[in-house]
Amino acid sequence: MKRLILVSFSVLLALFSSSSEGDSQTVKIGAVVPLTGRYAALGAQVKAGYEIGVQHLNAAGGVSVGGKKLQIELTMLDDESDPTKTVARLETLATQGVVAYLGGAGSDLHAAAASIGDKNKIPYLGVAFAFNGIHKQGLRYLFSPFPKSPDLTKETFVFLDAAIPAAQRPRKVALLLERTDWGKEMGSLWESQAKQHGYQIVASGEYAPGSKDFSDLILKAKSAGAETVLALPSPPDGMTIMKQMKELDFNPKVHLFIRAADPPVWSQNLGKDGDYVLLSPGWHFAARYPKVTELNEAHQKLFNRPADPIVGPSYACIQILADAITRAGAADREKIRNTVAATNLTTVVGPVKFRADGTGEVKVFFQQWLKGKQELVWPKDFATAPFGYPAPAFSQR
């Protein structure tokens, strides 16, 4: 049974069947987000960013459409972390007259969803996915203000080179790669960037998502003397890898776990064993950009903590859409698509523009779990703590 969450932060006005009609009193946008299933922890952050963004926008009077202020009406559906259901939910939203889609979390879910925007000629904005291959399909309606694989892999070594003196750099690298298209993409790019920066890939292995035993990969990395581990697991897989690394006494100096370490459950589950792990979720609440303070205050009231990493990019999607709708001057899907493509806006994640393939020109952030908190360690001018290097052995934490 479909789980439907209707989000409306203003008094509901009259219901209209289509946002494209001239007398519509709201601008309808639709989101499909994994609120349950394996991506639920990430989906919760996406949901919070969208909801707070809509709340702030509507509280300020809504979005200007042809000189008239209209409220945003957001309908959010749960795809249960199932790509088949992602597609079905998007088709449902299309029949409800939404003028824009907002995506969920996880590269495989976005891969299933992205073409639906082009099929229905509805602009699709998504974050919490780094898979660049989706953007190589010639999709006109796909936009993502979020770092992609080429950005992340390049910045990995830019950061390590800037943060660690040359003589102390952890040159021997192990890749633990999820057996997915995104895993192959990241692995190939990390290998290329490692070579360019003078690092050596000493071990590389694949695993199926949802695996329970990573010991072979870990032992191969350990025996090869790997000092850096680069991986992109889901949160459950990442936590299992960390537990087994401790059990097998494998203590690399650097761990970068894209995606896995993003949600708060990482530290709740692993405690001190989850410290020193780097992540790059697209944002940090210490970024000094307009509206970040208001976002943090709203998130603090709801969850008793500043905004989680993916909340920022999700909130930015609402900012981008509101700006695009205003510039379009109409709740018209094609006009909105064109104004999104021409975005030149400073959001809570910083300046955002879109390349021709829909990828965003955005800043890359690196966080690190230190003493149970996500500290921003890169870019240096926003840093909330120094980079914790080298990571101490598990037995010494």
Side-chain angles (χ1 to χ4, degrees):
M1 181 178 180
K2 291 186 292 186
R3 180 179 176 184
L4 171 64
I5 300 177
L6 177 62
V7 185
S8 180
F9 295 95
S10 61
V11 177
L12 288 176
L13 304 175
L15 294 177
F16 290 82
S17 61
S18 172
S19 293
S20 61
E21 296 175 6
D23 59 349
S24 178
Q25 298 302 299
T26 62
V27 177
K28 298 181 180 181
I29 59 178
V32 177
V33 178
L35 302 176
T36 56
R38 70 191 190 282
Y39 291 135
L42 302 178
Q45 296 187 43
V46 174
K47 175 179 181 286
Y50 291 160
E51 290 184 348
I52 295 171
V54 171
Q55 182 183 36
H56 285 179
L57 185 64
N58 284 344
V63 64
S64 179
V65 180
K68 182 180 180 181
K69 284 283 190 176
L70 299 179
Q71 298 279 287
I72 292 289
E73 182 182 339
L74 171 62
T75 300
M76 190 177 300
L77 304 178
D78 178 15
D79 61 16
E80 304 167 42
S81 301
D82 181 337
T84 302
K85 293 179 180 177
T86 305
V87 171
R89 304 296 191 260
L90 288 169
E91 294 290 12
T92 296
L93 290 171
T95 66
Q96 297 177 2
V98 300
V99 299
Y101 286 139
L102 296 171
S107 291
D108 54 334
L109 300 185
H110 285 292
S115 62
I116 305 302
D118 271 50
K119 173 182 175 290
N120 295 327
K121 299 190 185 315
I122 299 174
Y124 178 102
L125 276 78
V127 297
F129 78 103
F131 183 37
N132 196 52
I134 300 173
H135 291 272
K136 294 182 177 180
Q137 301 172 19
L139 300 173
R140 293 187 66 252
Y141 292 79
L142 171 64
F143 302 94
S144 182
F146 198 78
K148 299 301 164 189
S149 299
D151 309 309
L152 291 173
T153 52
K154 179 179 179 180
E155 201 74 6
T156 296
F157 297 101
V158 169
F159 161 63
L160 291 177
D161 285 353
I164 305 169
Q168 301 173 29
R169 288 175 194 158
R171 300 285 187 180
K172 295 181 179 180
V173 178
L175 303 180
L176 306 185
L177 302 173
E178 183 181 79
R179 193 177 296 122
T180 58
D181 290 341
W182 183 40
K184 293 175 183 176
E185 178 180 87
M186 288 286 288
S188 175
L189 290 166
W190 265 328
E191 284 192 28
S192 174
Q193 289 293 329
K195 186 176 181 180
Q196 291 181 38
H197 288 262
Y199 294 74
Q200 179 187 6
I201 305 299
V202 296
S204 180
E206 292 186 337
Y207 64 88
S211 295
K212 303 302 180 185
D213 184 1
F214 299 89
S215 58
D216 283 349
L217 297 178
I218 293 170
L219 289 171
K220 286 178 182 177
K222 181 180 178 181
S223 65
E227 302 167 289
T228 295
V229 172
L230 305 178
L232 54 140
S234 67
D237 288 352
M239 288 184 280
T240 301
I241 291 171
M242 288 299 293
K243 290 174 182 178
Q244 292 179 10
M245 285 173 60
K246 179 182 180 180
E247 292 168 1
L248 296 168
D249 194 32
F250 177 41
N251 300 287
K253 297 177 180 179
V254 173
H255 330 62
L256 171 58
F257 279 30
I258 302 292
R259 181 176 58 171
D262 293 1
V265 69
W266 177 266
S267 184
Q268 295 165 7
N269 186 299
L270 294 172
K272 291 182 180 179
D273 295 337
D275 275 349
Y276 297 96
V277 174
L278 290 160
L279 57 151
S280 185
W283 183 74
H284 187 275
F285 66 82
R288 293 188 291 274
Y289 294 120
K291 298 292 184 182
V292 171
T293 298
E294 292 89 336
L295 172 55
N296 282 330
E297 289 174 352
H299 198 275
Q300 187 78 38
K301 289 179 182 178
L302 289 170
F303 303 103
N304 199 32
R305 61 179 183 271
D308 296 321
I310 302 173
V311 173
S314 304
Y315 187 100
C317 284
I318 301 298
Q319 294 180 299
I320 292 164
L321 262 183
D323 174 69
I325 292 168
T326 297
R327 288 185 291 111
D332 177 273
R333 294 169 173 175
E334 191 63 26
K335 290 181 179 179
I336 293 170
R337 181 264 163 214
N338 292 336
T339 49
V340 170
T343 293
N344 185 1
L345 181 70
T346 297
T347 70
V348 292
V349 301
V352 176
K353 293 181 180 179
F354 291 109
R355 305 179 183 100
D357 61 2
T359 56
E361 296 181 23
V362 294
K363 188 176 287 292
V364 175
F365 295 78
F366 283 114
Q367 279 97 284
Q368 187 178 35
W369 281 100
L370 296 169
K371 297 182 180 179
K373 293 175 60 179
Q374 284 186 9
E375 300 286 1
L376 182 62
V377 295
W378 186 261
K380 206 168 184 178
D381 53 343
F382 291 165
T384 60
F387 174 39
Y389 177 84
F394 287 107
S395 62
Q396 298 174 8
R397 298 186 185 182

